[in-house]
Amino acid sequence: GENVEQHPSTLSVQEGDSAVIKCTYSDSASNYFPWYKQELGKGPQLIIDIRSNVGEKKDQRIAVTLNKTAKHFSLHITETQPEDSAVYFCAAHTGGFKTIFGAGTRLFVKA
Amino acid sequence: DARVTQTPRHKVTEMGQEVTMRCQPILGHNTVFWYRQTMMQGLELLAYFRNRAPLDDSGMPKDRFSAEMPDATLATLKIQPSEPRDSAVYFCASGFTGGNYGYTFGSGTRLTVV
């Protein structure tokens, strides 16, 4: 079955710096890759996604890249702000009904 | 904004007691998921439904967990009897068939079994 590995598990950056979170997946049939942000005491919230026919997608300060050959995808946050501090989950979906989540990255943005 | 509503938000119960968690998915979503989140296991899929039919509950301990969807507006997750190792946050999420549009998660039920 699908397996998603996410790195790093913890990331600490200075406000204004960039943050990058990387994920790899095992099932080459995966075709949809969402990213979720989870703030303390809340459920994960979809913040951006990318489909397998696209290599990069950007939404303001966040961007995702996908390398299908290498089976890895990344989340990039530029000009980080304290409110970006949260746990971020990557996920991979194969077109059935299961989405497999990575283990999460706890991001700290220091003011 | 459309929301997934979960009740209760917090539940403290004694070992051996029955626990029922409820979820109201977003109207029109045809897929409902139950996830369990712990520090050690991350987001663990317990069960999911499509058009109210259970598709996969292989992630649940069958002897004590059960998930149902009696109608399109209500999904339930029951634990009977509960054990301390069941302490976790349980999330419900809903979405469309195929999942290529992401899921909307509820705020979760934090369960503590003492």
Side-chain angles (χ1 to χ4, degrees):
Chain A
E2 175 68 282
N3 183 49
V4 177
E5 294 192 358
Q6 182 171 349
H7 300 281
S9 57
T10 305
L11 179 60
S12 183
V13 301
Q14 203 69 37
E15 181 179 2
D17 288 349
S18 295
V20 179
I21 302 170
K22 298 181 179 181
C23 291
T24 59
Y25 61 98
S26 59
D27 189 344
S28 56
S30 294
N31 58 10
Y32 174 67
F33 306 90
W35 286 86
Y36 291 83
K37 175 184 180 181
Q38 185 177 23
E39 297 175 327
L40 196 62
K42 298 183 179 179
Q45 180 183 8
L46 179 69
I47 55 172
I48 194 168
D49 56 17
I50 190 167
R51 290 173 171 77
S52 58
N53 58 347
V54 175
E56 184 174 357
K57 182 177 179 180
K58 189 174 182 180
D59 182 4
Q60 299 183 347
R61 295 186 299 107
I62 60 174
V64 290
T65 59
L66 171 65
N67 183 325
K68 286 193 64 180
T69 303
K71 290 193 280 190
H72 64 70
F73 56 114
S74 301
L75 176 72
H76 304 252
I77 307 175
T78 59
E79 301 173 20
T80 53
Q81 302 168 3
E83 52 264 39
D84 295 329
S85 296
V87 178
Y88 291 82
F89 292 95
C90 64
H93 186 89
T94 61
F97 297 99
K98 276 190 177 182
T99 291
I100 305 300
F101 287 83
T105 296
R106 190 173 296 275
L107 174 64
F108 297 95
V109 180
K110 297 176 287 185
Chain B
D1 285 341
R3 297 170 58 185
V4 173
T5 303
Q6 288 187 250
T7 57
R9 287 297 312 275
H10 302 274
K11 177 71 175 179
V12 180
T13 191
E14 292 186 347
M15 182 174 62
Q17 296 298 305
E18 178 178 300
V19 175
T20 298
M21 291 169 271
R22 293 177 173 81
C23 168
Q24 181 178 353
I26 289 175
L27 190 65
H29 282 182
N30 66 349
T31 312
V32 175
F33 304 82
W34 283 103
Y35 283 91
R36 176 168 61 184
Q37 186 175 41
T38 62
M39 290 295 293
M40 300 303 295
Q41 296 293 330
L43 281 166
E44 179 185 10
L45 179 63
L46 297 176
Y48 60 94
F49 296 78
R50 179 194 177 195
N51 295 328
R52 295 176 52 203
L55 286 190
D56 188 345
D57 60 1
S58 60
M60 293 198 313
K62 298 291 190 306
D63 56 337
R64 299 184 301 109
F65 283 60
S66 63
E68 296 180 347
M69 201 162 175
D71 62 62
T73 65
L74 177 65
T76 62
L77 180 66
K78 291 186 180 181
I79 308 174
Q80 168 62 21
S82 56
E83 297 181 0
R85 59 179 167 153
D86 301 329
S87 297
V89 180
Y90 292 80
F91 287 104
C92 174
S94 69
F96 292 107
T97 300
N100 284 12
Y101 300 92
Y103 305 153
T104 301
F105 280 79
S107 296
T109 294
R110 180 174 294 278
L111 174 65
T112 303
V113 184
V114 298

